[in-house]
Amino acid sequence: MRSILIINPNSTESMTDGLKPLVDALQFKDTAHEYFTAPSGPKSINNEDDAVESVNHCLPSLRQALDRHDGFLVACYSQHPLVPLLKDEAVVQSGRKPVTGIFEASVSTSLQVIHPDEKFGIVSTGKVWEDILTEATVAFLGTGSEASKRFAGVETTGLNATDLHDVPAEEVRKKMKDAVKRLLRKGKVGAICLGCAGMSGMDEMVREACTEELGEVEGKRVRIVDGVMAGVAWLEGTIRAGF
């Protein structure tokens, strides 16, 4: 049986547990999905320094898992350094096994599901991510490329990843919807990426914001891209195709 390892590089087990229903909903029943949570380190990855620190807490254990799985998903919405590090080891040393992060997977998926005249954007957590994810997206797509011109930008909620589940639900809903509406005002946005693994499963409030801002018909046309689901689906297809 095929096996995909889904990696939460922070040490909050409840965030890992929140990913499982999304993966199960894809119904890839002939693939085993296993989960890894950082054994120590940052509880929430709120900036690039946290991401770098998390590598030291994850990589030793992950190296031991390379031979047991066919693909690897890093479930942190950033250009997380684990992605290239694992690619180097999983691709070069372990038989070209595919590795991706939820950031890369969601951006690639967004470009494929929107109309050529539309843009995609990202809704994320703390304000620090506005510049970080903007720079990461431009770098990923290529400066000056046609693809980068289809990027509407990043809007944030002001909450960190753990706040999404610890702060009162109505406050989270309001901040999420406000960020979505600001993004939709940046042009003809056809897809919105959930820019944090902790936002997984929050599609409903994003959809609500879309219909409030654009009306029922246009609001339902906006694609909501969950990076965890996009990443698992890409890995599944890549492993099956033998690429």
Side-chain angles (χ1 to χ4, degrees), residues 9 13 19 37 75 80 91 99 106 114 141-142 149 169 178 204-205 214 217 220:
E13 191 76 39
L19 308 179
T37 306
H80 199 286
V91 173
V99 178
S106 73
I114 61 176
L141 297 176
K149 295 175 184 176
D178 286 348
E204 181 269 333
M205 63 182 72
L214 302 176
V217 174
K220 287 183 177 179

Side-chain angles (χ1 to χ4, degrees), residues 18-186:
L19 308 179
K20 296 176 182 179
L22 300 169
V23 176
D24 291 346
L26 292 170
Q27 297 190 349
F28 295 138
K29 295 181 180 179
D30 53 352
T31 298
H33 299 102
E34 296 187 24
Y35 297 83
F36 172 92
T37 306
S40 55
K43 294 289 186 183
S44 172
I45 294 177
N46 299 319
N47 51 53
E48 291 177 304
D49 289 339
D50 288 344
V52 171
E53 182 187 348
S54 71
V55 172
N56 296 326
H57 297 272
C58 295
L59 197 54
S61 297
L62 291 173
R63 283 190 173 122
Q64 299 175 24
L66 289 175
D67 292 336
R68 301 200 304 271
H69 304 283
D70 301 299
F72 304 86
L73 176 67
V74 179
C76 175
Y77 206 93
S78 67
Q79 276 194 313
H80 199 286
L82 268 177
V83 175
L85 286 169
L86 286 176
K87 279 188 176 182
D88 181 57
E89 301 204 18
V91 173
V92 176
Q93 300 178 33
S94 299
R96 303 197 66 81
K97 295 179 179 180
V99 178
T100 191
I102 59 175
F103 162 72
E104 294 87 346
S106 73
V107 170
S108 300
T109 298
S110 293
L111 285 173
Q112 294 183 70
V113 300
I114 61 176
H115 186 276
D117 293 336
E118 294 177 326
K119 298 182 178 184
F120 74 94
I122 300 169
V123 173
S124 192
T125 48
K127 190 171 179 61
V128 65
W129 291 109
E130 292 179 9
D131 289 341
I132 293 172
L133 290 176
T134 296
E135 291 171 8
T137 303
V138 172
F140 181 66
L141 297 176
T143 304
S145 70
E146 286 302 312
S148 68
K149 295 175 184 176
R150 300 174 71 189
F151 175 49
V154 181
E155 289 294 334
T156 53
T157 64
L159 303 169
N160 65 37
T162 52
D163 287 339
L164 293 171
H165 301 279
D166 296 339
V167 168
E170 282 309 307
E171 182 179 348
V172 173
R173 179 178 291 273
K174 182 181 185 306
K175 289 181 180 293
M176 282 284 291
K177 288 172 64 175
D178 286 348
V180 170
K181 290 176 182 180
R182 290 195 303 272
L183 182 61
L184 291 171
R185 293 167 192 156
K186 290 187 170 183

